[in-house]
């Protein structure tokens, strides 16, 4: 099928697909580079990394691909400014940021020539982003995994944002197959961002236990929690979430001060690290709403091949 026009600053991806930046250490160099090699935009999740670790991941991705590689970083992270500036110094291709909104990053982007792409959930914030110099906006609906800025469906948001701005609009939330990609294009999106589908890939840095939990998940297992960040978060039910819902005391004994503001209801950094390393019963496993439809772990190359076939089928009405 014919793709919409899609350009981020001076970057023109061959495929209008951005891989979601999933922390902590779920989206690292191997996954980002594999997506970039297929003509998409690969993102390294910088949240939870040290400056030195981020430098190493960017360098590794550069060794693996000449494609487009960016970072995704939560504004809520205490090291936000240092990590963004480090990525710029290392020659990253673009900055994607959510879980809050930074005006400063547009200034840094303009000074360095690095495109800045905020994650937004309202037409008003998309318009503000455009005025500040955003190269594009990721419009994320309630169907997404991780931290959510809205409980409104992506399908309702995309037409509103498309009518409000002239910059490229990237649809995110609940997009796991070619049919959903085509549908997003029909709503006016120039590209899509996909996270959940790429977790179930061979190149993803999540533990095998984490990936298997994705394959076992049923629709009723996907729940909303209140994150210490101050936003709702979409995750898969497990022992940790049951304890959270039951009101157990999960407050940490020590704090790494990884967030600018934190309710300290539990340590989200440690919870995400536990699941990434394989303890999926006592960790936090973020996922999108449609995770239950994913039934296999595939190489990124095969995922792209399937997405193209699914888009063609959707286009031809097969």
């Amino acid at each position: 099928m014919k793709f919409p026009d899609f350009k981020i600053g001076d970057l023109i991806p061959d495929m209008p697909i951005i891989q979601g930046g999933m922390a902590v250490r779920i989206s690292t160099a191997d996954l980002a580079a594999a997506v970039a090699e297929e003509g998409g935009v690969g993102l390294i999740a910088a949240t939870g990394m040290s400056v030195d670790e981020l430098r190493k991941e960017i360098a590794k991705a550069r060794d693996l691909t000449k494609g487009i590689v960016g970072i995704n970083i939560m504004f809520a992270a205490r090291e936000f400014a240092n990590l963004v500036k480090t990525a710029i110094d290392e020659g990253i291709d673009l900055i994607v940021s959510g879980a809050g909104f930074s005006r400063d990053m547009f200034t840094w982007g303009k000074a360095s020539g690095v495109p800045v792409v905020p994650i937004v959930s309202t037409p008003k914030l998309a318009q503000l982003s455009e005025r500040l110099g955003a190269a594009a906006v990721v419009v994320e609906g309630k169907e997404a995994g991780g931290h959510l800025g809205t409980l409104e469906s992506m399908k309702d948001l995309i037409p509103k944002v498309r009518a409000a701005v002239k910059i490229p609009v990237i649809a995110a939330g609940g997009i796991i197959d070619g049919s959903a990609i085509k549908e997003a294009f029909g709503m006016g999106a120039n590209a899509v961002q996909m996270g959940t589908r790429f977790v179930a890939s061979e190149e993803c840095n999540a533990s095998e236990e984490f990936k298997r939990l994705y394959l076992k998940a049923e629709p009723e297992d996907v729940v909303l929690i209140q994150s210490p960040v101050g936003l709702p978060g979409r995750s898969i039910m497990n022992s940790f979430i049951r304890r959270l819902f039951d009101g157990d005391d999960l407050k940490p004994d020590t704090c790494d001060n990884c967030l600018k503001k934190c309710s300290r209801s539990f340590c989200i950094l440690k919870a995400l690290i536990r699941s990434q390393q394989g303890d999926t019963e006592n960790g936090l496993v973020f996922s999108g709403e449609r995770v239950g439809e994913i039934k296999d772990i595939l190489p990124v190359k095969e995922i792209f091949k399937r997405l193209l076939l699914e888009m063609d089928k959707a286009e031809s009405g097969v």
Side-chain angles (χ1 to χ4, degrees), residues 32-33 35-42 61-62 64-70 93:
V35 171
E37 276 294 280
E38 296 305 310
V41 177
R62 291 299 188 209
L64 293 170
T65 183
K66 296 188 183 303
I68 301 171
V69 175
D93 291 321

Side-chain angles (χ1 to χ4, degrees), residues 18-51:
I18 297 177
Q19 158 250 316
M22 298 158 286
V24 173
R25 301 181 184 89
I26 302 295
S27 304
T28 53
D30 287 326
L31 177 57
V35 171
E37 276 294 280
E38 296 305 310
V41 177
L43 296 181
I44 297 167
T47 305
M49 288 186 180
S50 67
V51 163

